[in-house]
Structures are given as C-alpha cells and as structure tokens.
Amino acid sequence: MTARAALALAALAVACRGSGGGGAAPAAPFPRSEGIPGATPAALGFDSTRLAAATGYLRAEVDSGAFPGGVLAVGRHGRLALLAPVGRYAVSDHRAVEAGTIYDLASLTKVIGLTTACMILVDEGKLALDAPVQRYVPAFVGPMKDRVTIRHLLTHSAGLVADLPLYDSTKTPAAALAAVDTTTLVAPPGTEYRYSDLSAIVLMQAVERITGVPFDRWLAEHVFGPLGMPATRFRPPATWRDRIAPTENDTVFRHRLLVGEVHDESAARLGGVSGNAGLFSNALDLARFAAMLLNGGAWDTLQLIRAETVAEFTTRQNVPPGSTRALGWDTPSDSGYSSAGALLSRRSFGHTGYTGTSIWMDPDRDLFIILLTNRVNPTRASTAILRVRERVADLVADALTHPEL
C-alpha cells in the first residue's frame, strides 16, 4: 500500500467514526497535520520585517478585541513563509492558539469541499456545468427551476434567496432539504447575483446523487485523505474538542457555547454536513490545499484536479454581467472594499467564512494567504474582521518585494 493510500484510508476511518453508526467506535486521536515544507521569507521573495508586520498587526487586533485569536499562514511555490498563531482560544479560554488549532471554516466549506468536489466530477465527465440542476436533483422543482443550471448555482445567480430559517421552520434534515428544493425563485436564473447558501445545499445534493456516497465520506476519501489533510472534516469527534476554537455562545437555537459543532444554523439542521458550511480544519491542512491549487491541481505525485479545470473554476464567469464570481470561488472587487485587499492581482481567487475565516490565492505571484479566526466568539457582534482581512492581504502583498524569486 502506498503512503497516499494509507493516508486516504486513515482519513476515511476517522471521518466515519462518531457519525451515528451502531456500537462504540475507538476514540479518534487528534490529527497531526504535516502542512507543507517551510522556507525563509527571503528565499520566497519576502522582506522578513514587512512580513512580520502582518503578525504584529494581528496581535494588535486581538488586543483590541477584534477576535480572541487566530492563525495566519502565508506561502509561495509550495513552501510556507509564515505560520503565525496569535491570541487565545476564546474569550473564556486563555490558552494560547497553536499552529494546529482547528477552526470552524463556515463558508470556506463551499470552496474547500463543495467546489473541489465539483471540479473532480467535471474532470470525470459526471457533472456538466451547463446541465439543468433537475438532471441531478429531480426534487428541485418550481416555476423557472427547469432553467437553473449547475453554473448558476456555482455563481450564485440561480435566483434563489440567500437563506431560509431552516433551524426553526423544519425539524429534520429531510424536511430541510425539501424546503430548500421547493423554495420559489425570486429572480429569473442568470439575471441577478445573490449570494445564497441554498445554492450550495442544492449542489451538495447533486454531488451525492452523482457519487452515491454521503458528502462527508466522499470528500474524506477523494480529497482530504489523498491530500494528507487529517484535520479537515465535518463533525469532528469529541476527542478533538480541546483543540478546536469555540465559536458563538448560541442563545437562539442550541443554547450553549459551540465548540466543534457547526456554527451555521442551516448546516446544523442538516446534521452538521452541508455544502454551505460544516467543515473544520486548521491552517496547516489548508496550506497544503492552497499549494495544490496553485500548482495546477497537483501535489507531490497526486494530480487531484486537471490544471485546465482549476483555471476554469477560478476565472470570472461574468454571470450575471459584472459579477466578480468565478465558479464557487470569488475574485477581487474592481473598486471599493475587497477582502483580498487592493494589491493582489486581478487573477486572484478566494473566499471568506462568516466565523472569521478567509483564503486568498494569487496565481500571478504563486502566493496564498490563509487567515483563520473565531471572530464570532463570544457573539457575532464584532465586524472588525472586515477591515482585518483587507489589511492583512495588503501587508502580505507589500512584503513580497522580490516576486521574481
């Protein structure tokens, strides 16, 4: 058995534990993420003093109360230039954050999990971007629904509402999916951009119908296992709890502090596994994922996704005209605020998560910037992360003084 196959089997075994099967399963050990090799900032073209300023800025934001803590990872050419944990686990947990601390990724699930699955299925000829969604999800019914394509879902232009109060309007995962699939469109497909969690939930159903395998299990077996991302999974086991940064003190739905339990209410109603949210991970695993995408879908001897497919999914689709969205991914704004800052190239692609997470990649510089925080701890009231993401991206880009290296 190859090392890659062993990693895949190990990740799959971990993912299947504690998922509701009969009998007691062995406790899942806390994962040891390998990440990617490190290199000095200078060797990767960075001015080390300027790059350190990004870490200093994050520490200052922690001190100001923007978020309890976080981890910043910056890399180029498949090497890690900076891995900086700052702050503490939570307002009520003063332990220092570590490089391997696990965070609720929130909507990064849409790109790390769902979009990656779509790329692979497109490569395999099993998913057609311009096919009607109803080909894969027959339950997706209603006026104009026959005109909605997979491309519309990936560009948030299907005409679906942003979200539904699934957590209090439905009582079971099946009822929640039925509510999503039968909801009425609020615009003709392809005519308006409206960021929608429902698009991701519908698309997850398409992935499951195509593969015949539960979404979380398929990702563990086909993405996270082969890539060597052992800390990336849905529904982390209780044995990981002490190494997961808490999110919100939920006073509306679950009435408890959320630790290792998905923050997003819709994903929670779906049992913690959804296309829109539910993944947990750390900066080390995500650094490997980012390096893979920047390397044309390849890592080591593994070609996970065809380079042409990566390029297609990370290019603006102009659907509807003027939208910044690629397929699943977003791109920097042409003007005004952007979580990518003002200095990354127009070919950059990335995404953010409600809990305080973000990932941006610049193929022109072969650069990635990963920022994981739990800005919703103890409540979602703080919005400082909006300015922090932008500033961190600019500080990192400004520190790259020799992009030719």
Side-chain angles (χ1 to χ4, degrees), residues 106-118:
S107 283
L108 291 196
T109 301
K110 294 182 175 77
V111 287
I112 307 300
L114 183 63
T115 300
T116 304
C118 291

Side-chain angles (χ1 to χ4, degrees), residues 46-127:
F46 292 100
D47 178 290
S48 58
T49 301
R50 291 187 186 184
L51 191 58
T55 305
Y57 169 71
L58 282 179
R59 289 197 180 104
E61 288 294 330
V62 166
D63 291 342
S64 74
F67 41 83
V71 182
L72 173 63
V74 176
R76 296 186 75 209
H77 310 323
R79 298 292 183 269
L80 201 58
L82 176 68
L83 183 62
V86 298
R88 57 194 187 277
Y89 268 69
V91 169
S92 60
D93 184 346
H94 290 185
R95 290 177 300 150
V97 168
E98 301 171 275
T101 298
I102 293 176
Y103 285 84
D104 180 334
L105 297 186
S107 283
L108 291 196
T109 301
K110 294 182 175 77
V111 287
I112 307 300
L114 183 63
T115 300
T116 304
C118 291
M119 289 184 190
I120 293 172
L121 294 177
V122 165
D123 276 350
E124 294 177 347
K126 298 176 181 177
L127 179 69

Side-chain angles (χ1 to χ4, degrees), residues 204 208 214-217 234-235 262 267-268 270-278:
M204 176 192 68
E208 291 192 326
F215 186 56
D216 55 341
R217 201 174 89 195
F234 294 90
R235 297 187 296 200
V262 62
L270 291 171
V273 178
S274 182
N276 73 300

Side-chain angles (χ1 to χ4, degrees), residues 31-325:
R32 295 184 59 184
S33 302
E34 292 184 13
I36 60 177
T40 65
L44 297 176
F46 292 100
D47 178 290
S48 58
T49 301
R50 291 187 186 184
L51 191 58
T55 305
Y57 169 71
L58 282 179
R59 289 197 180 104
E61 288 294 330
V62 166
D63 291 342
S64 74
F67 41 83
V71 182
L72 173 63
V74 176
R76 296 186 75 209
H77 310 323
R79 298 292 183 269
L80 201 58
L82 176 68
L83 183 62
V86 298
R88 57 194 187 277
Y89 268 69
V91 169
S92 60
D93 184 346
H94 290 185
R95 290 177 300 150
V97 168
E98 301 171 275
T101 298
I102 293 176
Y103 285 84
D104 180 334
L105 297 186
S107 283
L108 291 196
T109 301
K110 294 182 175 77
V111 287
I112 307 300
L114 183 63
T115 300
T116 304
C118 291
M119 289 184 190
I120 293 172
L121 294 177
V122 165
D123 276 350
E124 294 177 347
K126 298 176 181 177
L127 179 69
L129 293 173
D130 294 310
V133 172
Q134 288 179 347
R135 175 186 299 178
Y136 309 104
V137 188
F140 186 70
V141 295
M144 300 187 289
K145 293 281 192 69
D146 59 324
R147 294 158 48 190
V148 178
T149 66
I150 297 299
R151 191 182 302 272
H152 289 141
L153 294 180
L154 285 164
T155 54
H156 296 276
S157 62
L160 288 162
V161 295
D163 202 1
L164 290 174
L166 300 176
Y167 76 96
D168 64 355
S169 63
T170 63
K171 300 301 182 184
T172 66
L177 290 177
V180 169
D181 291 340
T182 58
T183 190
T184 302
L185 299 188
V186 294
T191 63
E192 294 181 12
Y193 165 76
R194 182 178 289 101
Y195 184 83
S196 173
D197 282 348
L198 302 193
S199 288
I201 294 171
V202 173
L203 194 52
M204 176 192 68
Q205 294 176 77
V207 171
E208 291 192 326
R209 286 292 295 264
I210 291 167
T211 63
V213 177
F215 186 56
D216 55 341
R217 201 174 89 195
W218 191 90
L219 285 171
E221 185 176 19
H222 290 84
V223 181
F224 308 139
L227 272 177
M229 298 170 61
T232 306
R233 61 164 293 161
F234 294 90
R235 297 187 296 200
T239 50
W240 293 15
R241 182 184 173 100
D242 286 347
R243 304 293 289 278
I244 299 174
T247 53
E248 192 166 22
N249 183 17
D250 183 355
T251 59
V252 176
F253 178 26
R254 287 153 288 185
H255 304 285
R256 56 181 171 268
L257 177 66
L258 303 178
V259 186
E261 183 178 0
V262 62
H263 178 264
D264 181 87
E265 292 89 352
S266 293
R269 174 55 72 216
L270 291 171
V273 178
S274 182
N276 73 300
L279 269 184
F280 288 74
S281 188
N282 62 22
L284 292 163
D285 275 13
L286 295 185
R288 182 169 286 221
F289 178 86
M292 176 273 296
L293 281 186
L294 288 169
N295 194 42
W299 178 254
D300 194 15
T301 60
L302 172 69
Q303 186 75 48
L304 187 69
I305 308 162
R306 293 173 61 247
E308 295 83 359
T309 303
V310 174
E312 180 179 15
F313 269 72
T314 57
T315 298
R316 278 192 190 185
Q317 299 295 296
N318 203 35
V319 181
S323 171
T324 63
R325 305 299 299 203

Side-chain angles (χ1 to χ4, degrees), residues 75 111 293-294 310-317 323-334 338-352 359-369 393-394 396-397 400:
V111 287
L293 281 186
L294 288 169
V310 174
E312 180 179 15
F313 269 72
T314 57
T315 298
R316 278 192 190 185
Q317 299 295 296
S323 171
T324 63
R325 305 299 299 203
L327 293 170
W329 295 93
D330 200 4
T331 66
S333 302
D334 292 323
S338 174
S339 63
L343 301 179
L344 296 185
S345 78
R346 296 302 91 186
R347 291 183 60 221
S348 298
F349 57 95
H351 212 280
T352 62
I359 183 170
W360 279 97
M361 286 164 270
D362 187 342
D364 285 356
R365 297 175 173 90
D366 196 10
L367 167 70
F368 67 77
I369 305 168
D394 283 346
V396 170
L400 186 56

